[in-house]
Amino acid sequence: MGRRVTVATCALNQWALDFEGNLQRILKSIEIAKCKGATYRLGPELEICGYGCWDHYYESDTLLHSLQVLAALLESPVTQDIICDVGMPVMHRNVRYNCRVIFLNRRILLIRPKMALANEGNYRELRWFTPWSRTRQTEEYFLPRMLQSLTKQETVPFGDAVLATRDTCIGSEICEELWTPHSPHVDMGLDGVEIFTNASGSHHVLRKAHARVDLVTMATTKNGGIYLLANQKGCDGDRLYYDGCALIAMNGHILAQGSQFSLDDVEVLTATLDLEDVRSYRAEISSRNLAASKASPYPRVKVDFALSSREDLLEPLSEPLEWKYHSPAKEISLGPACWLWDFLRRSQQAGFFLPLSGGVDSAATACLVYSMCRQVCEAVNNGNQEVLADVRTIVDQLDYMPRDPRELCGRVLTTCYMASENSSRETRDRAAELARQIGSHHIGLDIDPAVKAVVGIFSLATGKRPLFAVHGGSRRENLALQNVQARIRMVVAYLFAQLSLWARGARGGLLVLGSANVDESLLGYLTKYDCSSADINPIGGISKTDLRAFVHFCLEHFQLPALEGILAAPATAELEPLADGRVSQTDEPSYSSLRPGRLRRVWCGGDPAAASRVRTDGRLSHRLSGARGVERCFRAPFCRERPSLSGATRLCSEL
């Protein structure tokens, strides 16, 4: 006789410290799961308070408000008759843990602390939490009085245990534990656990979906079982973008795939599965059964509840499916664009300001905003009322209905070509044409008066006037004259970001977008404080090679023919005088020979004393030295000055 169960996993766009909003999204996901017939609902890591609380985890208020949200969940009729698995910080014996709290019908079944903390790359969980180190052991957790009055419990189990329902056994993993060499699901599976759950706060990196899917399918291929993965989505007020990508797998096959990039705040994934399929699959693996016969048992929390029902024989089962991966170029078109939308609506600004140079990098950034507008229009057309409310707030028009991405782009994106005497007609025309095709509000201006004024101040004070190298100046003079142009552009960008809407009679300000790719930052091929110094840099974690592939993708899929000329044009900073009206400075290095994104580890310590810096071709570059040079980034002082918040990955811990 079959034992068919319907289980649910979620991808939620939770905001750090938005306890009321987070509560409503959790309740909505539970309600959707119940409507789909689920008897178990899994949510993302730390979903009650939001993952990116950082040092707010130290504050007692964060723990208090998390408990208040948990009390509201326990008290809500929405959470009745379904096992709910939520994430929150818990203080136990004066030690703070990253926990899963699993409850049913106003009773807490188990508090399961995280055992392997993420503490590399972009993560610093050991700063705020302590891992639970006692495997297969539990203690009694004394509930605070506000929960005791609701649950009628004084203590509940706290530690490494599994749930034994009437019909199956359920074990929890938390994010990083799936990625460890010896994941808990291995021993839990050998001890008879049939359903594994993993609540994640896993950020987006290009091509990362392949690793997630491989880990989950391999876990259930070797040991059998059902695996649920939940994940955060959105930027969570943090430097990263979490891409959702929830999934359900069984016995090595994917049964349900969630969207990897979506503007929906709440996404619930369900699957109906037969527990007998797990049991028969395991029965045929002799090596697994020999290992299981010697496995150490887990503490079991008995739950007087069944995930299946007696009337489930006619319930249709979910069928295996082939996972649909995005190409890297499409990932770039979706991920950073979703991140831009999340950042814009949370900042309560009116749009973006982008210095558009006519080159590939700034064109890619403009295309990301255009892609964002396409996704917003698509979400509204699909009936997403939350997105509609947000876009109306941003454009300050209560009856606005976004239908055309170009029209919306004209409302939320202002582009600006800042010409100097060294700018060519070709780059000016390419920038203007791209702006016309995506629909941005475009400004063309001349920065020469400001540049001459700044150089004039220096001449008045010193009695000397610097010259470009082609006019007989030294390398030092040549570098200074290039840098003053770039830095004037930054000042102009921020001035126009603050006041351009005011000049047009509109409300609000604009966020300044940067356009420095990760290869420039890693190589030090940049000018400090130039127009890439910005509020946010959506391409800061993307290599030049991947960026060019993305621009090709936009050319083909967004029908933007202006990109063809931008891709074909030679790269130039246009900071030195023209030769007969044509570009003479083509000094960008070749990135094609570099492995994209592999020049160093994602996180860096930033030890400037261990590096010597040299100036070449008017740009700052770095020579790494010492035994630690291959492992550390020595650009920490500059990372602070050039924020690089990326839809793909964070460049540096010192941002």
Side-chain angles (χ1 to χ4, degrees):
M1 184 174 63
R3 287 288 183 267
R4 303 187 179 193
V5 298
T6 300
V7 289
T9 183
C10 306
L12 302 184
N13 194 329
Q14 302 295 75
W15 296 27
L17 303 178
D18 178 20
F19 293 96
E20 180 60 35
N22 292 347
L23 169 61
Q24 296 307 316
R25 285 180 284 272
I26 293 170
L27 286 172
K28 183 178 178 180
S29 70
I30 297 171
E31 187 173 14
I32 295 172
K34 288 181 68 176
C35 289
K36 293 184 175 182
T39 50
Y40 191 99
R41 175 267 180 198
L42 173 71
E45 185 176 12
L46 294 168
E47 60 187 307
I48 284 180
C49 59
Y51 185 84
C53 295
W54 291 65
D55 283 0
H56 290 289
Y57 287 121
Y58 292 141
E59 300 169 6
S60 297
D61 275 0
T62 303
L63 297 169
L64 171 62
H65 295 324
S66 297
L67 288 171
Q68 291 171 335
V69 171
L70 177 60
L73 289 170
L74 288 164
E75 198 170 17
S76 172
V78 174
T79 63
Q80 299 303 297
D81 300 321
I82 181 172
I83 297 178
C84 298
D85 188 335
V86 299
M88 60 179 280
V90 176
M91 183 80 79
H92 175 56
R93 297 186 179 180
N94 295 334
V95 179
R96 191 183 305 100
Y97 295 97
N98 176 349
C99 293
R100 304 303 300 174
V101 179
I102 308 171
F103 61 90
L104 169 68
N105 295 338
R106 295 195 178 186
R107 291 185 63 82
I108 295 176
L109 306 175
L110 171 67
I111 300 178
R112 202 283 198 177
K114 192 172 183 178
M115 302 177 67
L117 299 184
N119 207 60
E120 69 287 327
N122 295 307
Y123 299 97
R124 298 184 181 182
E125 290 183 3
L126 277 173
R127 180 180 175 90
W128 308 295
F129 301 109
T130 300
W132 180 259
S133 57
R134 281 169 282 178
T135 59
R136 299 181 180 86
Q137 294 183 42
T138 63
E139 296 178 350
E140 291 299 308
Y141 174 77
F142 285 83
L143 291 176
R145 283 173 292 182
M146 72 172 75
L147 297 182
Q148 288 185 25
S149 61
L150 284 172
T151 65
K152 310 306 180 186
Q153 299 167 284
E154 184 176 289
T155 64
V156 297
F158 184 102
D160 184 23
V162 298
L163 301 181
T165 66
R166 294 184 208 155
D167 52 359
T168 189
C169 192
I170 307 167
S172 295
E173 288 186 328
I174 305 176
C175 197
E176 179 73 9
E177 294 170 3
L178 173 62
W179 301 75
T180 58
H182 191 85
S183 298
H185 69 255
V186 175
D187 292 329
M188 288 191 295
L190 294 176
D191 191 36
V193 172
E194 295 175 331
I195 300 176
F196 311 103
T197 66
N198 186 296
S200 286
S202 179
H203 72 290
H204 171 239
V205 175
L206 285 178
R207 308 169 180 89
K208 188 176 183 179
H210 295 74
R212 286 197 196 113
V213 173
D214 287 348
L215 284 169
V216 170
T217 53
M218 186 56 65
T220 59
T221 297
K222 293 194 301 182
N223 210 356
I226 298 167
Y227 203 106
L228 282 68
L229 178 71
N231 195 19
Q232 168 86 350
K233 63 161 60 175
C235 70
D236 192 25
D238 199 352
R239 295 177 172 90
L240 307 175
Y241 177 73
Y242 302 90
D243 56 343
C245 217
L247 63 90
I248 300 175
M250 182 178 73
N251 299 341
H253 298 286
I254 300 296
L255 277 299
Q257 174 184 356
S259 61
Q260 188 174 9
F261 307 103
S262 169
L263 300 187
D264 296 332
D265 284 346
V266 177
E267 183 181 6
V268 179
L269 208 61
T270 60
T272 300
L273 310 163
D274 195 333
L275 295 173
E276 290 299 325
D277 288 339
V278 174
R279 295 159 189 168
S280 60
Y281 182 89
R282 287 177 170 177
E284 297 178 6
I285 308 175
S286 176
S287 58
R288 180 257 167 206
N289 297 333
L290 286 172
S293 67
K294 298 178 285 186
S296 299
Y298 274 78
R300 273 170 160 72
V301 177
K302 294 182 180 180
V303 183
D304 188 17
F305 182 79
L307 270 62
S308 59
S309 68
R310 294 181 182 274
E311 294 79 27
D312 64 1
L313 292 179
L314 299 179
E315 189 75 21
L317 294 175
S318 300
E319 295 293 332
L321 54 85
E322 192 73 25
W323 189 277
K324 296 180 176 62
Y325 293 101
H326 296 302
S327 68
K330 189 170 184 180
E331 280 194 57
I332 296 171
S333 76
L334 296 173
C338 289
W339 183 86
L340 281 172
W341 172 249
D342 229 26
F343 200 98
L344 177 61
R345 68 190 183 114
R346 296 185 189 206
S347 68
Q348 299 183 357
Q349 297 300 298
F352 301 109
F353 183 91
L354 172 64
L356 193 60
S357 68
V360 170
D361 291 336
S362 62
T365 303
C367 289
L368 286 176
V369 179
Y370 182 64
S371 176
M372 180 199 81
C373 294
R374 288 169 59 95
Q375 292 183 65
V376 168
C377 291
E378 182 180 355
V380 171
N381 290 337
N382 291 335
N384 191 317
Q385 295 301 308
E386 290 85 1
V387 172
L388 178 60
D390 286 332
V391 75
R392 286 175 171 174
T393 300
I394 290 168
V395 303
D396 193 30
Q397 184 177 333
L398 295 180
D399 61 349
Y400 178 65
M401 184 63 67
R403 299 295 188 192
D404 179 16
R406 294 184 72 257
E407 189 273 337
L408 176 59
C409 194
R411 289 175 177 260
V412 300
L413 176 62
T414 298
T415 52
C416 182
Y417 184 86
M418 304 182 200
S420 73
E421 61 182 6
N422 302 321
S423 301
S424 66
R425 170 59 61 181
E426 291 83 0
T427 54
R428 185 196 305 263
D429 291 345
R430 288 197 296 268
E433 181 60 19
L434 178 60
R436 186 190 66 79
Q437 291 178 14
I438 65 174
S440 67
H441 179 82
H442 190 64
I443 301 170
L445 55 85
D446 190 345
I447 64 170
D448 278 335
V451 173
K452 291 175 181 176
V454 172
V455 176
I457 292 172
F458 176 82
S459 298
L460 285 174
T462 64
K464 291 182 175 292
R465 189 168 191 86
L467 299 174
F468 283 105
V470 296
H471 299 149
S474 64
R475 288 186 61 196
R476 191 182 305 181
E477 296 169 66
N478 197 65
L479 176 64
L481 289 174
Q482 291 183 66
N483 286 343
V484 73
Q485 297 169 76
R487 289 164 183 162
I488 285 293
R489 286 177 173 139
M490 182 196 71
V491 175
V492 171
Y494 273 97
L495 177 65
F496 273 77
Q498 290 178 295
L499 295 180
S500 61
L501 292 184
W502 167 78
R504 290 150 56 187
R507 295 175 56 186
L510 303 175
L511 294 166
V512 179
L513 295 180
S515 298
N517 64 69
V518 69
D519 291 337
E520 289 178 338
S521 300
L522 296 178
L523 292 175
Y525 189 81
L526 53 92
T527 300
K528 288 166 55 182
Y529 308 115
D530 70 350
C531 62
S532 288
S533 298
D535 296 316
I536 51 177
N537 181 9
I539 66 168
I542 307 174
S543 73
K544 188 75 169 188
T545 304
D546 284 332
L547 266 186
R548 291 187 68 87
F550 163 65
V551 174
H552 275 289
F553 176 88
C554 295
L555 172 64
E556 296 174 3
H557 292 81
F558 295 169
Q559 287 77 52
L560 301 173
L563 296 175
E564 191 169 3
I566 290 172
L567 286 167
T572 174
E574 291 194 331
L575 296 173
E576 295 186 15
L578 302 175
D580 298 324
R582 295 186 176 277
V583 173
S584 61
Q585 182 183 18
T586 55
D587 53 358
E588 185 177 60
S590 172
Y591 296 114
S592 59
S593 60
L594 300 176
R595 297 178 66 193
R598 307 281 180 123
L599 300 182
R600 63 161 169 79
R601 297 192 296 186
V602 175
W603 183 83
C604 62
D607 182 3
S612 60
R613 303 187 181 93
V614 295
R615 299 183 184 276
T616 60
D617 295 328
R619 298 284 180 156
L620 183 68
S621 62
H622 300 78
R623 181 183 299 115
L624 303 184
S625 61
R628 296 154 61 201
V630 295
E631 292 190 350
R632 300 174 67 86
C633 166
F634 307 112
R635 296 195 55 260
F638 309 112
C639 292
R640 289 187 182 276
E641 296 156 358
R642 293 172 50 85
S644 180
L645 307 181
S646 166
T649 184
R650 198 177 87 200
L651 287 182
C652 178
S653 65
E654 297 297 326
L655 295 178

